[in-house]
Amino acid sequence: MSILYNADLHTYTVVESGVVLPSITQIIDSTGFNAAMQDIPQHILRHAADRGSVVHLLCHAYDTKQEVDLSAVDPGLIEEAQPYLAAYIEWRIKTGWKLLEAENPRGSEDLGYGGTPDRIFEDHEGWRVIVEIKTSLKISATAHVQVAAQEMLLCEIDRSKRIVLQLTKEGTYKEHVSDDPGLDLRIWHNALENYQFMAAKKLLRRKSGGKP
C-alpha cells in the first residue's frame, strides 16, 4: 500500500484506492484531550510550533545527511533551535541505535488512519523503537497515546518499544517511557472508535493545522 501525505492539508491518501485517512493528531484532537491548550495564548503556541518545526528540520538533516533550505526561516528561530539540535545529536551518539526510518508517512485502510513516526530505530537487542521528538516545556498527556497509535501502524507491537524524546532549550534531553503502554493502546482504540462514530454521524468540527 502506498501513502501520499499532503503536508498542507495534513491528510493521508491511499494511492491505490484514493481513500483519504484522518491523521493521528486529528483523531486525538477530536476527543478534547488537548482542550487545556486553548488557554495558552495563540502567539505562544505559534512560536512554539515554529520552533519545533525548525528543530525537526535540523534533526532530520542530521539523520539523513541532507542539506535543508533555511533561507526563508527566521534566523532567530534557527539560533533558538541549536540547543535542541545539540541535545538530539548527543542522544543519537549515546544510544548508537540504527536508524531505520525518518518521518516516513504510514497509513492503513483497515485501521482507518494515517500517521508519521518521527523516527524508527533498531536498538542493540534488535527491537524496533518508535521515537516521537518533542520540544515542548511539558509533555502532554496524549504524547504516549500518539506513539501507541504509530506503533499500531507498524504491525510489530510484540517487537517494538515506544519513547517520547524531550529536547530542551538548555541542550539536554529526557526519555519518557509510558507507565502503562497497554492503557495507552486502549485509550487510542477508544479515541479511534469515537472519531469514526462522529465522522459517520457528521458530528466532527472542521479544523486545520497541527502536527500529523
Side-chain angles (χ1 to χ4, degrees):
M1 180 185 297
S2 302
I3 298 295
L4 179 63
Y5 174 62
N6 186 311
D8 294 326
L9 299 177
H10 301 283
T11 57
Y12 294 80
T13 302
V14 180
V15 175
E16 291 82 357
S17 65
V19 171
V20 179
L21 303 171
S23 72
I24 293 171
T25 299
Q26 284 177 310
I27 294 169
I28 291 177
D29 284 348
S30 74
T31 64
F33 287 152
N34 293 324
M37 295 184 65
Q38 297 177 0
D39 297 331
I40 302 175
Q42 286 300 307
H43 71 281
I44 293 178
L45 290 176
R46 281 195 299 270
H47 182 82
D50 290 344
R51 181 189 61 224
S53 295
V54 174
V55 172
H56 274 74
L57 281 174
L58 295 175
C59 291
H60 189 270
Y62 172 82
D63 276 334
T64 61
K65 305 203 171 29
Q66 296 177 351
E67 291 189 10
V68 58
D69 183 8
L70 297 174
S71 59
V73 178
D74 181 352
L77 278 176
I78 298 175
E79 182 178 355
E80 189 177 344
Q82 295 308 307
Y84 298 87
L85 174 62
Y88 180 71
I89 293 174
E90 181 182 349
W91 177 80
R92 287 283 281 115
I93 293 172
K94 180 182 177 181
T95 62
W97 292 343
K98 178 182 178 181
L99 177 65
L100 300 178
E101 294 183 19
E103 299 182 19
N104 181 38
R106 289 173 171 266
S108 169
E109 277 192 76
D110 291 337
L111 294 175
Y113 66 95
T116 304
D118 283 338
R119 300 291 186 276
I120 301 176
F121 293 97
E122 182 179 292
D123 70 8
H124 302 300
E125 297 176 347
W127 286 71
R128 297 291 189 269
V129 186
I130 303 108
V131 177
E132 176 69 18
I133 300 170
K134 298 294 188 184
T135 59
S136 52
L137 185 61
K138 294 183 179 180
I139 300 301
S140 72
T142 58
H144 292 295
V145 177
Q146 178 184 1
V147 187
Q150 294 170 356
E151 184 183 52
M152 281 187 61
L153 290 174
L154 267 65
C155 301
E156 295 175 344
I157 293 178
D158 292 335
R159 289 293 298 172
S160 58
K161 303 176 182 177
R162 316 174 208 148
I163 290 177
V164 176
L165 180 65
Q166 183 182 25
L167 310 178
T168 75
K169 64 181 181 181
E170 290 80 20
T172 61
Y173 64 83
K174 182 176 181 180
E175 293 182 1
H176 296 263
V177 180
S178 174
D179 295 328
D180 193 338
L183 176 61
D184 297 330
L185 278 172
R186 292 195 297 275
I187 292 173
W188 170 249
H189 280 298
N190 289 336
L192 181 57
E193 288 181 357
N194 288 339
Y195 180 91
Q196 291 170 339
F197 171 80
M198 293 173 69
K201 299 299 182 180
K202 303 187 186 320
L203 299 174
L204 292 173
R205 294 182 179 179
R206 296 294 179 184
K207 182 179 179 181
S208 60
K211 184 183 181 297

